[in-house]
Amino acid sequence: MDYNLMREFADSWGLVAMALFFVGATAFALRPGSRKLADEAARIPLEDE
């Protein structure tokens, strides 16, 4: 692949892919019912073994 071809791809489809990933990750984190899982994950470092 040529540098200019890779740059054109990153400028167009790469940006779209990153935006879709960001929207998906945000929707996953803010979905209903995720608060309980997030609270459990936040307590993991504080638990004794």
Side-chain angles (χ1 to χ4, degrees):
M1 284 183 105
D2 185 51
Y3 171 76
N4 289 328
L5 182 62
M6 288 190 298
R7 187 174 152 233
E8 287 178 28
F9 176 78
D11 285 345
S12 59
W13 293 109
L15 179 61
V16 171
M18 286 187 289
L20 288 174
F21 177 79
F22 175 77
V23 169
T26 303
F28 180 78
L30 299 177
R31 74 190 189 282
S34 66
R35 182 169 185 95
K36 180 184 172 200
L37 294 173
D39 288 341
E40 289 175 5
R43 279 190 233 107
I44 289 174
L46 304 175
E47 293 177 357
D48 291 331
E49 295 202 22

